Amino acid sequence: MEGITHPIPRTVEEVFSDFRGRRAGLIKALTNDMVKFYQTCDPEKENLCLYGLPNETWEVNLPVEEVPPELPEPALGINFARDGMQEKDWVSLVAVHSDSWLLSVAFYFGARFGFGKNERKRLFQMINELPTIFEVVSGSNANQSKDLSVNNNNIKSKPSGIKSRQSESLTKVAKMSSPPPKEEDDESEDEEEDDEQGAVCGACGDNYGTDEFWICCDACEKWFHGKCVKITPAKAEHIKHYKCPSCSNKRARP
């Protein structure tokens, strides 16, 4: 959680300097300090955020408690997805959300101190001269999206479900209108009712619910309530191969 010890930027140049300092701290977390950052983002902890600070440092902390917050907040719960996807994909996902947060903070200051059209344009041009954090950590150009599908539409998830990206694991992720498949579907109403009675969450043991989000572990092939394993539909969109907490703990760490 960020304190208020830093001076508040009021001019275009000051806002850009603030942006550049926070950006440098975030890049440091995702590159030179990657080992420390990875260990800090323990999935067993509560919702964590990655903050870039104006003095070119970073911190992982709980979100601020005040509502509304003094500044826009970074993406919440970055630690929950850490063990459910490949490390480089997780880092790239954090980078994308960090880019979005940096822009929101910069233009928050612009709105707060009444930047006009020309000032906003100049601020964006200054920011746009710098590569994004995603481009830095992935070594890519802006046109690269790859398996993350980090374009505008995929960062957002609709409550009605998740569209498959023709990835084998994501075909198992859905806000299911039918229960997790135990046997082949005969499209028989009686058998569907039997399946509903037999489908249980591998974490809590509760039965399938028609209005609940479920996710399947690619390792043990057990189904879980998203809330039980702290995975939301939005996070699931960016997970190529999901491993439940039990299977993740079995993986040896270097």
Side-chain angles (χ1 to χ4, degrees), residues 119-137:
E119 291 171 310
R120 293 194 303 270
K121 181 178 180 180
R122 185 154 59 93
L123 174 60
F124 181 76
Q125 287 174 335
M126 295 169 73
I127 290 173
N128 207 36
E129 289 298 315
L130 298 173
T132 65
I133 299 176
F134 173 73
E135 290 170 353
V136 172
V137 302

Side-chain angles (χ1 to χ4, degrees), residues 158-177:
K158 296 182 179 179
S160 59
I162 296 174
K163 294 183 179 179
S164 171
R165 297 198 307 270
Q166 296 184 3
S167 163
E168 180 180 347
S169 63
L170 285 184
T171 58
K172 295 183 178 181
V173 181
K175 184 174 185 286
M176 296 182 301
S177 58

Side-chain angles (χ1 to χ4, degrees), residues 19-250:
F19 175 93
R20 191 168 50 190
R22 295 176 190 274
R23 173 181 173 274
L26 293 170
I27 291 176
K28 186 180 297 182
L30 299 176
T31 54
N32 295 341
D33 296 348
M34 181 58 206
V35 174
K36 180 181 177 182
F37 171 65
Y38 188 93
Q39 293 173 345
T40 305
C41 293
D42 186 351
E44 297 301 318
K45 295 181 180 179
E46 297 183 48
N47 292 295
L48 295 177
C49 300
L50 171 61
Y51 295 89
L53 306 181
N55 61 357
E56 301 188 3
T57 61
W58 61 274
E59 67 175 0
V60 171
N61 214 328
L62 296 172
V64 297
E65 295 181 358
E66 59 180 326
V67 178
E70 183 181 359
L71 292 177
E73 283 289 288
L76 180 67
I78 57 172
N79 50 317
F80 294 153
R82 191 195 72 177
D83 292 346
M85 56 199 306
Q86 293 184 8
E87 181 177 312
K88 68 175 184 177
D89 290 342
W90 176 69
V91 171
S92 294
L93 178 61
V94 174
V96 168
H97 282 292
S98 297
D99 282 320
S100 176
W101 176 67
L102 284 177
L103 287 172
S104 68
V105 171
F107 281 88
Y108 163 81
F109 285 131
R112 179 175 176 181
F113 296 109
F115 286 6
K117 178 180 179 180
N118 291 334
E119 291 171 310
R120 293 194 303 270
K121 181 178 180 180
R122 185 154 59 93
L123 174 60
F124 181 76
Q125 287 174 335
M126 295 169 73
I127 290 173
N128 207 36
E129 289 298 315
L130 298 173
T132 65
I133 299 176
F134 173 73
E135 290 170 353
V136 172
V137 302
S138 65
S140 69
N141 294 321
N143 62 354
Q144 180 178 359
S145 59
K146 278 193 172 182
D147 295 333
L148 280 174
S149 296
V150 288
N151 52 43
N152 293 338
N153 292 328
N154 287 348
I155 296 299
K156 226 164 44 166
S157 176
K158 296 182 179 179
S160 59
I162 296 174
K163 294 183 179 179
S164 171
R165 297 198 307 270
Q166 296 184 3
S167 163
E168 180 180 347
S169 63
L170 285 184
T171 58
K172 295 183 178 181
V173 181
K175 184 174 185 286
M176 296 182 301
S177 58
S178 59
K182 294 185 67 183
E183 303 176 13
E184 286 196 20
D185 185 11
D186 296 335
E187 298 183 0
S188 165
E189 293 184 0
D190 293 337
E191 291 192 3
E192 285 181 1
E193 291 178 0
D194 292 339
D195 280 347
E196 289 187 11
Q197 296 297 324
V200 296
C201 172
C204 69
D206 285 349
N207 291 331
Y208 160 75
T210 56
D211 59 346
E212 295 177 303
F213 168 73
W214 288 63
I215 187 169
C216 181
C217 174
D218 287 294
C220 65
E221 297 189 348
K222 292 181 180 179
W223 287 86
F224 299 87
H225 291 115
K227 63 184 179 182
C228 290
V229 291
K230 298 179 180 179
I231 298 293
T232 66
K235 292 172 187 172
E237 282 199 1
H238 304 284
I239 300 176
K240 289 179 62 180
H241 300 288
Y242 173 70
K243 286 188 177 181
C244 67
S246 296
C247 292
S248 296
N249 292 335
K250 293 177 184 177

